[in-house]
Every structure is written in structure tokens, then in C-alpha cells.
Amino acid sequence: MRTIEVCCSSLDEAREAEAGGARRIELCAAIACGGVTPSLGTIRTVVEAGLNIDINVLIRPREGGFCYSEAEVEAMCRDIDTCRRMGLHGVVIGALTTEGDIDVAACRQMMEAAGEMSVTFHRAFDVCRRPMEALEQIIALGCDRLLTSGQKPSAAEGTELIARLVGQAAGRIIIMPGAGINPSNVALIEQKTAATEFHSTAAVNLIDYAYRGADVSFAAYPDREGIIRHSAREVVSELVNNTL
């Protein structure tokens, strides 16, 4: 059966994901830049809501690339430890060297901090230089899942590599396509890759009707001013149920 993970940034979105039939959420902030670690307040709010859905937290201290300093790795390990102590289902991690390989040493520190939690390796994989070798390193680290677009801008474009990864993984790790997954393409990507889990924002555009001065913009892209991307239960339901 197809498993849908929804990328959420709030309790409201997490509730939409649950209502639509998602199995799991990835909780993060700043989705527009690829996501960063959400605030402790957001994590606590979602955990204490008592949702009947697995909650994974993205561990990424900043936007930009995935080469981290010792201080950043320490901060990430502390965030992971906090999530573990709060009883979270899992965390989502990733780190690369300056040469574009998996930073095994940094990731091992994070794995140790995670303890028995489920661990997903995120799309840092999509900018590594040797994907098949990187897959073996990620498996050796003990990660349960790899989120990837097949090193393309979208999973729909990356189905060839994703299918190869699924084949090479041979059940040792879950390969989860993500990036641009929507109700219109999920079944075809599923067919082409043999993947069973999929990651999506499952979002619709909402209009922010709050008053704002006409000459001031806070959006990264001016044409997005006043537009809120929000996970929606009807989109999640379509992702769960749509077939070819």
C-alpha cells in the first residue's frame, strides 16, 4: 500500500495530513528554502496534540548547502537529542563533505544522538557526486529511509535514478521519492520506480487577507506576496488513493 509523508510546518497542517490519510509528517520550517529545523514551540505543539500519525523532525540548522562546521554539527546533535527525549518517532538528517561525498563522521554523530529513533537521510543526497556509492554509505550508517528526487529538480524527472536506487537498495533501506510529487503524477512515479513511500507538501494556495502596506513586501518572490502554501487534506487523500 502506498505510504504518503507530508511536509508540514504547523499543527494545522499536521492535522490536515492526518485527516487526508498520510502515514507520517516531516515537520520543518521555511519550506521555501528547502526547510530548516522548526522551533521547539512548534515541535511541542504538534507532539502534545496527540495526533495518530508518525512525526519526523527535520534537522537542518540553516539554509544553503550541507557542509557543516563542528559547531553546527553539535547544534544538530543537540536538536536530535531534544527530539529523542520528547518521544518523537524520527528525525531527518544529512551532511556532505566539501568534495560532495557523504560526511560519514558527522552523520555518525547524528545517528548516535538519534538512538532508537527512525532516521531519514534527506535530499542532501541529491547534490552528492557518487549516488550509488553514497547509497551504500547511508545504508551502512543505519538510516531507515532515503528521500530523493533522483538528483533532478523533481522526482518525475529523476525516475530513472530512483528506480536504480530502489533496485540497488533491495529492501535494505526505503527509497522515498520527493520533490514535485502531486496527485497527477504519483501513480506514474510509483509505477516507474517501484517505490512505495512518497514525500509531498500536498499543498494548495491560500490567500492571506491580512492588511498590509502596498509598497512593502516580505516575500522572496514578489509574485508570491499574500500567498500561503498550506497542506490540504483533500490533496493528501488524492495522493494516497489516486491510480493510473
Side-chain angles (χ1 to χ4, degrees), residues 115-134:
E116 297 301 313
M117 284 194 296
S118 176
V119 178
T120 298
F121 196 98
H122 59 51
R123 290 188 60 213
F125 174 86
D126 285 326
V127 291
C128 75
R129 61 176 176 166
R130 291 192 289 259
M132 312 318 283
E133 179 181 317

Side-chain angles (χ1 to χ4, degrees), residues 8 83 114 128 131 144 147 212 215 224 237:
C8 299
C83 289
C128 75
D144 300 295
L147 171 62
R212 66 179 65 248
D215 295 330
R224 300 294 299 174
S237 180

Side-chain angles (χ1 to χ4, degrees), residues 33-52:
C33 73
V36 296
T37 305
S39 70
L40 182 57
T42 296
I43 298 171
R44 282 181 172 163
T45 298
V46 174
V47 169
E48 292 171 5
L51 302 175
N52 187 29

Side-chain angles (χ1 to χ4, degrees), residues 9-31:
S9 58
S10 67
L11 175 58
D12 290 338
E13 288 191 297
R15 284 176 169 153
E16 289 293 302
E18 180 183 41
R23 186 82 57 84
R24 181 176 58 249
I25 66 167
E26 180 196 80
L27 188 63
C28 66
I31 293 175

Side-chain angles (χ1 to χ4, degrees), residues 24 42 50 56 77 94 107 126 130 140 154 168 186 227 236 244:
R24 181 176 58 249
T42 296
N56 288 357
C77 287
C107 289
D126 285 326
R130 291 192 289 259
S154 71
Q168 180 172 320
V186 65
I227 302 295
V236 178
L244 288 174

